[in-house]
Amino acid sequence: MQARQRPVGELLREWRDRRRISQLDLAISAEISTRHLSFVETGRSKPSRDMVLRLGEHLDVPLRERNRLLLAAGYAPAYTETALGDPGMDAVRQAVRQLLAGHEPYPAAVVDRNWDLVEANTAIGLFVAGIPAELTTNVLRATLHPDGMAPHIRNLGEWRAHLLGRLRRQVTQTADAGLAALLEELRGYPCDQPVPEVEVPGPGDIFVPLRFRHEGTDLTFFSTVATFGTPLDVTVAELVIESFFPADPATAAFLRERAARVG
């Protein structure tokens, strides 16, 4: 509703300012005149539907927000937002499940734009065992809440800084008020370790590890993040697959042995 009430030019200018792009640079990249762009931003000229889409593309505006720009300009949304359970999403669901299953015996999970858990493989149970069900619906709450994974994370301050940094960059990228509220909530969770403001590597470090203690055993992981490469649907664009890998032979051996016992 906010996008409907605010002029599209004002929203476009806000996105341009957020991306720290000058009118001249945006006009050149979008192949329009600076004068026309200025008229669009000030409301003196109404942009065409194609113009809104073109500017949204060059400003790297998320698909959800491009729909809001179109609504603000008086046009219908261009991008669908299909529920993951819809029959038209069969190929997406199969791809996600194949990736999750193929990653066993290592943990992997799929989250949406709010970091809510969409799907996970069985190995993710290593992390969430014993956590209250109301926390497991959101990955960040499950990780950083004192009743969640936090007491078992040996480098909680370091991992907390990493996750909050990712969320902070996401808030900057999307301008999502809900994510901003989640960031403030997470910042209020207690942490008994120093939380670095900048991720500075220690001797020999090549990534921020997750050091997790499970039933008396210290395990070390690193993670990779994957998204769909050419999304044209809002839901697909916002899905993120995070896969955890063992960072040392001892962790790999433990996970293989655990999978053999559980399976």
Side-chain angles (χ1 to χ4, degrees):
M1 292 299 296
Q2 185 179 15
R4 291 173 183 267
Q5 295 166 2
R6 297 178 62 192
V8 64
E10 181 181 325
L11 294 174
L12 285 168
R13 184 172 64 252
E14 185 176 282
W15 278 106
R16 182 174 60 77
D17 290 342
R18 186 175 290 114
R19 298 292 185 256
R20 299 183 179 180
I21 299 175
S22 69
Q23 269 193 352
L24 177 60
D25 287 340
L26 178 57
I28 291 173
S29 66
E31 298 182 343
I32 61 175
S33 71
T34 306
R35 183 171 182 268
H36 183 43
L37 177 58
S38 176
F39 277 19
V40 168
E41 289 189 350
T42 58
R44 295 178 64 184
S45 176
K46 179 182 177 179
S48 67
R49 183 176 185 272
D50 288 344
M51 178 62 67
V52 174
L53 291 172
R54 185 192 306 181
L55 293 174
E57 173 72 22
H58 286 277
L59 288 169
D60 194 25
V61 177
L63 300 190
R64 179 180 298 275
E65 304 305 322
R66 294 186 202 185
N67 278 344
R68 290 175 178 167
L69 289 174
L70 287 167
L71 286 171
Y75 303 110
Y79 303 97
T80 58
E81 184 177 356
T82 311
L84 197 56
D86 189 275
M89 299 284 271
D90 284 348
V92 173
R93 290 197 306 276
Q94 290 172 11
V96 165
R97 289 168 182 168
Q98 182 177 346
L99 287 170
L100 292 176
H103 197 64
E104 298 278 7
Y106 309 145
V110 182
V111 300
D112 63 15
R113 65 192 292 264
N114 299 311
W115 293 74
D116 289 336
L117 185 64
V118 175
E119 288 210 38
N121 64 8
T122 58
I124 208 73
L126 175 84
F127 292 148
V128 300
I131 294 178
E134 62 269 20
L135 289 181
T136 60
T137 58
N138 183 274
V139 169
L140 291 183
R141 290 191 180 99
T143 304
L144 299 179
H145 195 280
D147 293 330
M149 289 172 55
H152 306 283
I153 299 177
R154 304 297 292 241
N155 61 331
L156 179 59
E158 184 180 37
W159 193 249
R160 173 189 172 100
H162 165 68
L163 290 182
L164 293 185
R166 283 174 59 180
L167 181 55
R168 186 169 57 250
R169 290 188 290 273
Q170 187 181 357
V171 170
T172 300
Q173 173 73 16
T174 64
D176 187 280
L179 291 176
L182 178 60
L183 178 60
E184 288 306 307
E185 175 190 334
L186 298 174
R187 282 173 171 165
Y189 290 174
C191 180
D192 59 1
Q193 298 179 16
V195 180
E197 293 185 8
V198 179
E199 295 174 354
V200 179
D205 288 344
I206 57 175
F207 47 72
V208 177
L210 170 61
R211 305 187 191 280
F212 187 75
R213 190 166 183 82
H214 176 72
E215 297 179 352
T217 301
D218 287 337
L219 307 172
T220 306
F221 300 87
F222 68 90
S223 69
T224 63
V225 174
T227 58
F228 284 84
T230 54
L232 292 175
D233 180 275
V234 174
T235 301
V236 177
E238 294 174 344
L239 289 178
V240 175
I241 305 166
E242 183 144 15
S243 305
F244 290 86
F245 292 84
D248 55 50
T251 299
F254 177 90
L255 294 173
R256 288 193 297 269
E257 292 169 3
R258 178 180 180 274
R261 292 194 309 269
V262 173

